[in-house]
Every structure is written in structure tokens, then in C-alpha cells.
Amino acid sequence: MTEEPFDIRVALARLESAIALFPKAGLFLLKDEGHSSVFQQLTACILSIRTLDEVMLETARRLFAVAPTPEDMAALGPEGVDRIITRCAFHSAKARQISAIALRSANEFGGELPCDEAILRSLGGVGPKCANLVLGLACGLPRIAVDSHVHRVANRWGIVVTDSPEATLAALTAWVPDALASEVNRLIMPFGKHICMPISPQCSVCPLRTMCPRIGVMTSR
């Protein structure tokens, strides 16, 4: 039994200091570095799929140094993009997706992808996680993106009881106030990566240990 009720506002406030020593999640770091356009954020999110942040960040920086705009990216073609992103998982497929998105952005939207969920989801390879991350980071909209960390942590906290990221997204969207939506990803992603890990989470030093029911946690440190 927990010592205090779970309060999402209190929980997120406590996570602020807990993650201070760890790197921000990849797309947040890129935004801080100036790679904040819808196209760049979407490209980085595609690169991040099944790829460690450390690899994605290095790859995205190299790619944007050569092709910062959709027009530049389209000029590279799939082969040119692929040569730069080879360290990412599924790089050939991602190169084709990024090249196609660049072409559509240049030809249909004047080189600036709009802050429109339907349009982003209509682009090849763009699912709800990437669409929501981009809408939140590049567009400032109150959106929650659910990756494996957010899905796991939310279920351990007991604020959702779900068996898929899609179900977690629906539950969190209905439950988390709009004003806190952007904080969910900024704080929970690094928290889930460095403290509330899949195996042997660091519960003994977790700032939420008095309110977290640790649902599904078998062993911890």
C-alpha cells in the first residue's frame, strides 16, 4: 500500500529534479539545438524508431548538416539519405520514407509541413507516436506521445491499465490535463530510460516511491 495518493502534478514536479542529471530525450535535445521545424522533428522521430537516442542524435545532426530543408533532403534522393543514416535500424526503408516526405513537403506544402495531424498521419511511416511528438514539440500543441517508456511507467503507476501503447495513449489523453501534456514526454521518457527501467528499476531512489504502487514490478533496486 502506498503512503500517499498518486497525484500527476506532484509526480511530474518530482521528476523534474530526478532527471536533471540525465540527457533529455532525443527530439527535445534536437529542438534545443535549433532543429525545431515540423520536417526536422518528424525526420528525427522516424530515425529514432528501433534506434538508440545516441545513434539517432549523431545521425540526425549529420543529416541536417547536409540537408536542413525538405528541398535539400529531396535533392539527396533515397540513396543519398541512406548513405548518411546507415547506423540507424531499417535505414534503407527510413531513407525511402524520409525522401518521400521531403518531396511531398516541397511539392505540396511549400517546404513547410503543416501542424495538422491528419496530414502528418497520411505520410508514409508516420504513426501516432511520431505525429504527437512533432505536434507537441514543433507546434506547441497539447499532445502526448506514448513510447515504451511512457507505456511502462504509466502502467506501473496504476494511472492506466492497458496492454498496448495505443490504449495507453487514449487513456492518458483523457486523463492528463492539457497543460501537463507536453511535460509527460519531456519528463517520463528520460525517467523511464534511466530510473524506472524495464528490468530492476531503481525504486529505492525514486522520488515517487511513496506514491507508486509498483504494479508489475517483480524485482527492483
Side-chain angles (χ1 to χ4, degrees):
M1 186 173 181
T2 55
E3 298 174 25
E4 57 181 320
F6 191 92
D7 185 314
I8 187 63
R9 296 180 186 276
V10 174
L12 294 177
R14 291 181 185 177
L15 293 190
E16 190 78 58
S17 58
I19 67 165
L21 297 177
F22 301 111
K24 292 182 179 180
L27 268 66
F28 289 81
L29 275 174
L30 288 173
K31 181 181 178 180
D32 288 348
E33 294 170 7
H35 302 299
S36 57
S37 71
V38 174
F39 176 73
Q40 289 181 333
Q41 287 282 305
L42 187 60
T43 297
C45 194
I46 291 171
L47 293 176
S48 75
I49 296 170
R50 304 291 186 189
T51 300
L52 294 174
D53 259 3
E54 294 78 5
V55 174
M56 181 279 288
L57 284 166
E58 178 188 345
T59 302
R61 289 164 181 151
R62 289 180 58 218
L63 183 60
F64 296 149
V66 175
T69 69
E71 293 82 359
D72 296 327
M73 197 76 72
L76 286 179
E79 297 81 7
V81 174
D82 195 24
R83 282 193 291 271
I84 297 173
I85 70 169
T86 51
R87 291 192 63 206
C88 292
F90 311 113
H91 56 87
S92 295
K94 290 177 180 179
R96 292 191 296 270
Q97 292 167 355
I98 291 168
S99 185
I101 290 170
L103 279 170
R104 189 170 171 193
S105 177
N107 294 336
E108 293 185 32
F109 305 109
E112 294 186 10
L113 284 173
C115 293
D116 185 299
E117 182 179 4
I119 290 174
L120 295 185
R121 290 291 303 276
S122 74
L123 302 171
V126 179
K129 183 190 82 170
C130 281
N132 280 349
L133 267 176
V134 171
L135 290 169
L137 278 165
C139 304
L141 298 177
R143 298 301 177 94
I144 294 172
V146 176
D147 67 352
S148 60
H149 299 304
V150 174
H151 174 61
R152 178 179 66 256
V153 170
N155 275 275
R156 281 180 176 172
W157 287 350
I159 60 176
V160 303
V161 181
T162 57
D163 57 9
S164 70
E166 293 75 18
T168 299
L169 172 60
L172 287 178
T173 299
W175 190 74
V176 175
D178 283 353
L180 298 178
S182 63
E183 299 298 274
V184 167
N185 295 116
R186 184 178 70 84
L187 298 170
I188 296 181
M189 285 179 173
F191 173 70
K193 181 177 181 179
H194 298 288
I195 299 175
C196 195
M197 295 95 72
I199 300 173
S200 296
Q202 299 181 29
C203 296
S204 63
V205 298
C206 177
L208 307 187
R209 59 187 176 275
T210 57
M211 66 167 65
C212 176
R214 307 181 194 183
I215 294 173
V217 175
M218 304 304 293
T219 60
S220 64
R221 289 184 277 165

